Amino acid sequence: MIPFLDLKGINAQYREELITACTKVIDSGWYIQGTECNEFEKEFAQYCGTKYAIGVANGLDALILILRAYKELGIIKDGDEVIVPSNTYIASILAISQNNLVPVLVEPDINTYLIDSSKIEGKITSKTKAIMPVHLYGQTCQMDNINAIAKKYNLKVIEDSAQSHGAYYKDKRCGNLGDASGFSFYPGKNLGALGDGGVVTTNDEELANAIKALGNYGSYKKYENLYKGVNSRLDEIQAAMLRIKLRYLDKEIEKRREIANYYLENIKNDNLILPTVREENNHVWHLFVIRTNKRDELQKYLLDNEIQTLIHYPLAPHKQEAYKEWKSVKCPISEKIHNEVLSLPIGGVQSLKQTIKIVNILNEF
């Protein structure tokens, strides 16, 4: 069986370094908010090109805390609106609703699956306070257009970079394309921890300080609580793992690009719609997503040929029971995408032999 993603194999490449890093933390006797987290924050900020990075417990918390910090700073208030793509993973929308804010759905571009920037302005009201572009599947959104709209209406731009570590838009990496950005280090990400983890990046010192305090029980100083905060911190062992893997992230991206380019050049099947790529540096191929109106048939066919695939995602957020208040909402482009997408295997240890087999089987479908 060709696995969708061989996580064990990916981490095995760095096994000795990871063990050494983990042992160092164990022997230090300091497991929360210590040297490893501080150093990772510096290294990740430098990688993204931002002034600040704040480690948090996971990617959802990263987005939640950005919005919460803007509320504490008086920039956003309960009931305000945040524009978000209608075909994202539900975490983007959960972060908005958990802050007592209103998600406003904007349909994607059918070719890139990213928020259609030409449709944003029509959704802006007097209550709109932010735009949350999601760099879905690893490709950056059209940030020049989005930032221009944000500037025109005095809106914050909060990147959801959970799938796009290392992707560029022109001369800047994601995480440095708006006012703040949330990243996830879920194990399956291009930069994945060996557990949960997340980070916020920003160039705004006041925002960074508020997020750091909010994730630490609302405290800047031990036992003194400025905010009604939460416990959301990147622990030392995960930070140590991430410091090792960050060194190899660009190599991981290049391997994924090699596989993606092979797919793009060699899959020749009129039943399949391949991804649209604006520029190579815009995409880090967290996922390689094809579309077909025979999706379920194709997935079974591939499984019968010992190729594992996944669907990202089978149900659009507005169709989820969690948001049953959107029962009457129609997002036909998103619904079409969610009914047709299929993610092919792609990862840093996938062999050329495996990739060739996948292509050959696909071409016979």
Side-chain angles (χ1 to χ4, degrees):
M1 176 71 70
I2 298 175
F4 175 73
L5 181 65
D6 182 3
L7 273 181
K8 184 177 178 180
I10 287 170
N11 288 317
Q13 300 174 101
Y14 320 119
R15 187 174 188 276
E16 295 308 316
E17 290 178 86
L18 293 171
I19 290 171
T20 299
C22 189
T23 303
K24 182 182 173 184
V25 174
I26 293 168
D27 291 346
S28 75
W30 194 301
Y31 308 122
I32 298 286
Q33 292 192 318
T35 301
E36 294 297 327
C37 185
N38 290 337
E39 290 303 308
F40 174 71
E41 288 174 339
K42 292 175 188 173
E43 291 161 5
F44 195 72
Q46 183 177 22
Y47 181 81
C48 294
T50 58
K51 292 180 182 177
Y52 308 102
I54 306 98
V56 297
N58 53 68
L60 174 57
D61 280 4
L63 296 174
I64 288 173
L65 287 169
I66 293 168
L67 289 166
R68 173 73 189 281
Y70 278 133
K71 288 178 71 178
E72 295 291 351
L73 296 172
I75 294 166
I76 296 176
K77 65 181 186 303
D78 283 3
D80 282 341
E81 297 172 352
V82 179
I83 287 173
V84 66
S86 54
N87 68 314
T88 183
Y89 181 56
I90 201 168
S92 314
I93 294 168
L94 287 172
I96 299 167
S97 57
Q98 285 194 24
N99 274 290
N100 295 318
L101 303 171
V102 180
V104 175
L105 303 179
V106 172
E107 285 269 64
D109 180 315
I110 188 64
N111 297 308
T112 64
Y113 315 127
L114 303 173
I115 190 168
D116 187 338
S117 59
S118 70
K119 296 176 181 174
I120 291 174
E121 205 162 358
K123 293 295 186 84
I124 293 173
T125 73
S126 60
K127 287 192 170 186
T128 308
K129 291 296 185 291
I131 305 170
M132 186 182 286
V134 180
H135 306 310
L136 197 67
Y137 304 151
Q139 184 163 215
T140 51
C141 298
Q142 292 278 23
M143 294 306 296
D144 281 354
N145 296 348
I146 292 167
N147 284 325
I149 294 167
K151 184 177 180 181
K152 180 178 177 181
Y153 292 94
N154 193 29
L155 308 177
K156 295 298 182 184
V157 176
I158 301 164
E159 299 173 78
D160 182 339
S161 301
Q163 299 186 4
S164 58
H165 317 65
Y168 277 90
Y169 181 78
K170 297 189 175 177
D171 61 344
K172 287 184 178 181
R173 277 198 172 109
C174 73
N176 192 25
L177 302 174
D179 294 289
S181 180
F183 287 85
S184 166
F185 300 126
Y186 181 78
K189 305 298 186 185
N190 291 16
L191 178 59
L194 275 70
D196 260 326
V199 79
V200 173
T201 56
T202 185
N203 291 308
D204 184 334
E205 183 178 12
E206 187 178 31
L207 182 71
N209 288 337
I211 289 167
K212 197 168 187 70
L214 282 165
N216 187 39
Y217 298 94
S219 174
Y220 288 102
K221 184 178 178 183
K222 198 166 186 179
Y223 304 128
E224 293 183 16
N225 304 81
L226 183 62
Y227 308 115
K228 296 173 184 174
V230 297
N231 176 11
S232 182
R233 304 176 295 200
L234 180 64
D235 72 63
E236 284 289 281
I237 284 182
Q238 295 306 335
M241 304 293 99
L242 289 164
R243 289 187 71 196
I244 299 299
K245 295 184 72 177
L246 179 59
R247 299 171 195 167
Y248 301 100
L249 177 55
D250 288 344
K251 186 186 83 168
E252 171 78 17
I253 291 168
E254 284 310 309
K255 174 64 175 178
R256 286 170 175 268
R257 283 182 178 150
E258 287 175 13
I259 296 167
N261 287 334
Y262 191 90
Y263 282 153
L264 290 169
E265 290 168 8
N266 293 283
I267 295 173
K268 309 290 184 185
N269 187 322
D270 292 339
N271 292 301
L272 309 178
I273 299 170
L274 301 183
T276 298
V277 185
R278 291 195 314 272
E279 295 178 21
E280 187 173 40
N281 276 352
N282 293 159
H283 213 317
V284 292
W285 298 106
H286 172 58
L287 298 171
F288 189 98
V289 179
I290 61 174
R291 273 180 36 234
T292 174
N293 56 14
K294 302 176 181 177
R295 192 262 308 282
D296 294 343
E297 183 183 341
L298 174 60
Q299 187 173 40
K300 182 181 184 303
Y301 165 78
L302 290 170
L303 190 61
D304 289 345
N305 282 278
E306 299 193 313
I307 298 167
Q308 184 186 36
T309 59
L310 294 178
I311 299 170
H312 296 91
Y313 300 95
L315 206 58
H318 68 285
K319 293 291 187 181
Q320 299 283 358
E321 181 65 20
Y323 289 98
K324 52 182 176 286
E325 64 269 27
W326 287 343
K327 198 171 291 184
S328 62
V329 169
K330 303 293 183 187
C331 296
I333 298 173
S334 289
E335 290 160 26
K336 180 178 177 62
I337 289 169
H338 286 262
N339 287 333
E340 294 182 351
V341 290
L342 189 67
S343 300
L344 301 182
I346 191 167
V349 294
Q350 185 169 309
S351 69
L352 178 60
K353 182 179 179 181
Q354 289 175 319
T355 304
I356 290 170
K357 177 183 175 179
I358 293 164
V359 169
N360 289 341
I361 296 295
L362 280 169
N363 286 341
E364 293 169 6
F365 175 66

